[in-house]
Amino acid sequence: MVDLRRPSQTLAAAASFFNGERLTMARQLAGLKKSHLAALIEMSPASVTAWESGTKQPNRATVAKLALALHVEPQFFGGGAPPKVSKPNFRSLRSTPQIAQDEAEAYGRFVAEVAGMLQNAVEFPEALLPDLPVDPDERSMTPEKAARRAREFFGVAAGPVQHVVRLVERSGVVVVFSEPGAAAIDAYSLHSSTRPIIVLNPVKDDYYRQRFDAAHELGHLIMHHDAEPGGKVAEEQANRFAAEFLMPAKEIAPFLPSSTAGKAWAQLAELKEHWGVSLAALLFRARALGTMGDVSYRNAIIRMSQNGWRRAEPGRISALEMPSMLPRAREVLGEAGVDDAMFLSGSGLPVRLYEIAVSRIPSARTKS
Amino acid sequence: MTTQNNALASLQASGVLEVLAWAAPAAFTATDQLYDEDQGHDQGVVGYLNFKHFKDLIDRATTNGRFVVGADVQGTGDDVIKRGVTPEAFHSMPRLAADAVLRRDYKQSPGWAIEGFRLLLQSYPFGKIDDIKWVQRSDAKREAASQLYVRDDALFDDEEFGLESITGIPDDNDFVGVTLIVAHAFDPTTKQFELYVGQSKNPEGPGDSCWHWKTLLLSGGKPLSGTHVSVPPAMPGDAATTDVEDVPVRIKKPRADEGAGSANG
């Protein structure tokens, strides 16, 4: 019932409908350079280049070899052009190797494709984000103003954002964990032809940090729709957006301590739990808002280092915010009798990656 | 009337007890604001800061020390009195007449005197009220602990022999009367504090007390209560939580063959 076509028919179709862009996507998802892939299938790198650019078509036997080497079904290559995505916003372009950037972008494309397939079968919340472009000069809009507008747009009441991931999901944003292999990259975000996507890093296993990451990426999606990603200015703007989005100056300023003397650490711990933000973010906020002077801030950071809190802060909540949109769609399909293999059979998408993209928990955890 | 009751009644009547009960918590709060163990602050710093704050606040309420109003000045000098205290502390400050309590210092130790009694300040680590060794403190404290004490249950009192009881510190010509000790302790970690008044003595042997008598005026736990600590109002909104509903996702058509959808739908 899964697939009535014989393997040779599948191969024939895949070879006939072969799309070079899909080969690029599969290769990047596997984290391979062209030369590396060429070596795996004992062909020349020039051939790989030719197939990817569409100037040459691989024959059936080669398609079979490519599928085997890249862990996809042959029909994957015949699925038509992959979804268009914007260049992802990476935290640090310079420290992210090209191969990792390509892999991350391909994963974004993959998630966009999965989301597109799922929304043929199920109804997702409408994709609706405010568009509040902030240019580097911030002439017409500042990140803080954009954050306040965004809170209004989402209908956030005064106080903490209760659940950042759920909030953006309700506006149709796809939130997924990245594969553990892409650990070198922080969270990133991209616009796709289907939906905006936020990819969270599974290795940064900290609830408070993850909320800030999600808000940071939301900032990119809202403010930097058309901007060239990766710039230092844009990153700083996204951080300011996240700070104001999670800790509006007007609401949190009266509670921030001016130094870490006396009961201040206990006070910070309380603030941390209420607002769902890290101690580091609170201290930075206190300094940015002028509540805390430079000397007190530096003392606080030294104390953080001495206690080992710069790597792992104490905090009550250890479970991460979990995505629900794609996981729920998979469950709904399962309840209707459609399992993963059946759902993916036509597309040839790799089941392993699909499982990561529709998981509620990061897959790095299941390994450890 | 016992010696202890007699002393307490005089202190009460003069308003000094009220001043102490007001000044001590305000002093502890001020100390707590400055105390920072990261800067190497320890019990010594706590004791010193408490002493300075306490002294200044008592002077403030009794118009002594740097709050003495010159004879040619009209009014109460509120502008000066307001500075350096929180508005709450200022508003709750008991105000005694300028001549109700006078400064009578003893050997560089600030003292506040009413008729028949004088008070000196002494800090001690919280919980160690019965372990104060006066001989290891200042000269003033050692002498104060050596005062003649008229016991209530003495077999004979001096008058029965036609003698006059000479209380107070010998050779102290500036003040006639009994010198009492106001002992204060504050623990900045737990925010616990204590305030005692009593007559000190040098223990006569192991196990003997360092007090003829003492009375607990104030004590408090964690945190400091009352108007002396500003409790921040409740934080806005509900706290961040992981306990939220999934986004609603419904199947479009409950048909099992939906799965084979094309990739670029």
Side-chain angles (χ1 to χ4, degrees):
Chain A
M1 169 180 166
V2 171
D3 195 350
L4 295 177
R5 292 170 293 185
R6 290 205 305 277
S8 62
Q9 284 180 314
T10 313
L11 263 182
S16 309
F17 299 135
F18 188 87
N19 183 307
E21 286 178 58
R22 295 193 74 83
L23 174 59
T24 309
M25 177 178 162
R27 175 177 63 75
Q28 290 177 340
L29 274 177
L32 296 177
K33 290 181 179 167
K34 285 177 189 165
S35 56
H36 197 165
L37 173 61
L40 277 178
I41 59 167
E42 295 172 330
M43 305 281 269
S44 72
S47 298
V48 175
T49 304
W51 298 326
E52 289 194 7
S53 64
T55 52
K56 269 169 71 184
Q57 291 283 102
N59 64 26
R60 285 186 207 182
T62 309
V63 169
K65 275 194 204 167
L66 286 170
L68 211 57
L70 297 171
H71 305 292
V72 295
E73 297 297 319
Q75 61 267 39
F76 176 86
F77 299 114
K84 294 269 175 289
V85 297
S86 66
K87 244 334 196 193
N89 292 293
F90 294 120
R91 205 58 57 82
S92 172
L93 260 189
R94 247 180 260 148
S95 65
T96 308
Q98 187 60 45
I99 188 94
Q101 287 184 36
D102 289 345
E103 189 175 345
E105 190 175 338
Y107 184 71
R109 216 169 247 144
F110 171 80
V111 171
E113 184 153 12
V114 166
M117 284 163 60
L118 283 170
Q119 72 184 17
N120 282 341
V122 300
E123 279 174 30
F124 284 142
E126 193 189 348
L128 202 61
L129 280 184
D131 194 10
L132 302 164
V134 175
D135 62 26
D137 302 332
E138 299 175 14
R139 266 170 305 204
S140 51
M141 177 69 74
T142 65
E144 286 79 12
K145 212 159 141 192
R148 287 192 290 273
R149 288 266 193 91
R151 280 177 68 102
E152 271 169 40
F153 177 88
F154 294 122
V156 181
V161 176
Q162 286 206 282
H163 197 292
V164 182
V165 166
R166 199 65 78 252
L167 183 80
V168 300
E169 280 189 326
R170 287 199 193 104
S171 290
V173 178
V174 174
V175 182
V176 295
F177 286 107
S178 70
E179 43 171 344
I185 295 180
D186 274 313
Y188 60 98
S189 56
L190 50 141
H191 286 277
S192 78
S193 48
T194 50
R195 282 160 184 279
I197 295 166
I198 291 176
V199 181
L200 298 171
N201 183 332
V203 179
K204 285 250 170 66
D205 192 11
D206 182 281
Y207 166 75
Y208 310 88
R209 166 69 206 246
Q210 188 208 33
R211 279 168 56 88
F212 195 89
D213 280 352
H216 173 107
E217 297 309 329
L218 175 66
H220 278 313
L221 290 176
I222 288 177
M223 300 186 297
H224 303 136
H225 201 139
D226 306 312
E228 192 60 24
K232 212 178 156 190
V233 174
E235 288 309 303
E236 195 220 301
Q237 287 177 341
N239 281 336
R240 283 164 56 195
F241 176 95
E244 179 71 15
F245 190 72
L246 296 176
M247 306 169 271
K250 259 193 199 159
E251 292 167 27
I252 202 165
F255 301 98
L256 291 171
S258 57
S259 81
T260 48
K263 318 175 269 295
W265 284 109
Q267 193 182 336
L268 283 166
E270 215 168 288
L271 285 170
K272 169 173 177 158
E273 301 302 339
H274 186 77
W275 295 88
V277 291
S278 62
L279 294 175
L282 283 166
L283 289 172
F284 190 81
R285 191 75 175 139
R287 184 190 179 207
L289 294 179
T291 315
M292 188 176 279
D294 286 349
V295 175
S296 295
Y297 177 77
R298 203 189 55 220
N299 287 344
I301 295 299
I302 291 170
R303 181 69 180 269
M304 295 269 292
S305 293
Q306 287 168 342
N307 292 351
W309 293 349
R310 298 199 79 176
R311 269 171 291 121
E313 288 186 9
R316 277 207 287 273
I317 303 180
S318 50
L320 296 174
E321 284 191 357
M322 294 178 196
S324 71
M325 200 160 96
L326 299 193
R328 189 75 201 115
R330 179 208 209 179
E331 288 163 15
V332 164
L333 284 177
E335 284 157 18
V338 182
D339 64 21
D340 293 350
M342 208 185 290
F343 177 68
L344 296 173
S345 61
S347 65
L349 294 179
V351 177
R352 184 188 66 86
L353 271 186
Y354 175 73
E355 282 170 351
I356 291 170
V358 297
S359 173
R360 287 178 191 268
I361 54 165
S363 53
R365 286 189 149 189
T366 53
K367 276 185 175 176
S368 58
Chain B
M1 190 180 266
T2 65
T3 315
Q4 177 176 357
N5 287 345
N6 193 15
L8 289 174
S10 295
L11 294 173
Q12 178 77 55
S14 63
V16 170
L17 283 190
E18 199 192 345
V19 170
L20 295 177
W22 164 80
F28 300 150
T29 304
T31 298
D32 195 33
Q33 297 284 324
L34 294 174
Y35 178 80
D36 181 4
E37 60 179 10
D38 291 345
Q39 294 183 54
H41 293 178
D42 56 8
Q43 181 57 40
V45 175
V46 173
Y48 183 74
L49 287 175
N50 278 344
F51 165 70
K52 285 290 183 191
H53 292 143
F54 204 1
K55 167 178 167 263
D56 199 62
L57 288 162
I58 298 173
D59 277 345
R60 205 179 284 262
T62 60
T63 321
N64 276 303
R66 65 190 185 94
F67 300 98
V68 169
V69 182
D72 52 342
V73 175
Q74 294 282 318
T76 53
D78 260 12
D79 53 333
V80 181
I81 295 173
K82 264 183 188 167
R83 258 183 275 143
V85 284
T86 62
E88 298 89 42
F90 176 75
H91 289 305
S92 59
M93 181 175 88
R95 305 189 112 175
L96 304 193
D99 56 354
V101 178
L102 299 173
R103 275 287 283 275
R104 287 289 179 269
D105 296 1
Y106 178 57
K107 291 190 187 251
Q108 277 133 42
S109 195
W112 293 266
I114 57 170
E115 182 66 37
F117 295 96
R118 172 169 62 184
L119 301 172
L120 302 181
L121 301 181
Q122 178 63 55
S123 77
Y124 67 95
F126 183 83
K128 308 271 191 191
I129 183 67
D130 291 314
D131 300 325
I132 304 175
K133 297 191 170 49
W134 305 108
V135 288
Q136 292 172 11
R137 303 288 170 159
S138 61
D139 278 0
K141 304 298 161 48
R142 196 181 63 235
E143 295 288 344
S146 312
Q147 289 174 100
L148 175 69
Y149 180 65
V150 181
R151 299 183 65 87
D152 301 319
D153 54 354
L155 280 178
F156 303 96
D157 63 29
D158 296 335
E159 282 169 43
E160 289 176 76
F161 298 107
L163 298 171
E164 191 188 350
S165 291
I166 301 170
T167 52
I169 303 171
D171 304 328
D172 177 21
N173 299 326
D174 293 343
F175 176 69
V176 179
V178 179
T179 298
L180 301 174
I181 301 291
V182 174
H184 55 93
F186 172 65
D187 182 337
T189 311
T190 64
K191 316 300 177 206
Q192 288 173 289
F193 61 93
E194 286 173 339
L195 184 69
Y196 284 91
V197 64
Q199 185 167 352
S200 57
K201 80 170 201 185
N202 293 312
E204 284 158 17
D208 193 16
S209 172
C210 56
W211 296 95
H212 289 297
W213 61 268
K214 66 175 190 295
T215 296
L216 180 65
L217 295 180
L218 274 183
S219 70
K222 181 182 183 180
L224 286 173
S225 57
T227 56
H228 309 297
V229 174
S230 56
V231 178
M235 284 190 270
D238 295 323
T241 176
T242 51
D243 186 20
V244 292
E245 301 250 309
D246 284 358
V247 289
V249 175
R250 277 184 308 276
I251 198 148
K252 280 187 173 166
K253 283 172 286 179
R255 278 172 51 191
D257 61 353
E258 194 67 43
S262 75
N264 50 355

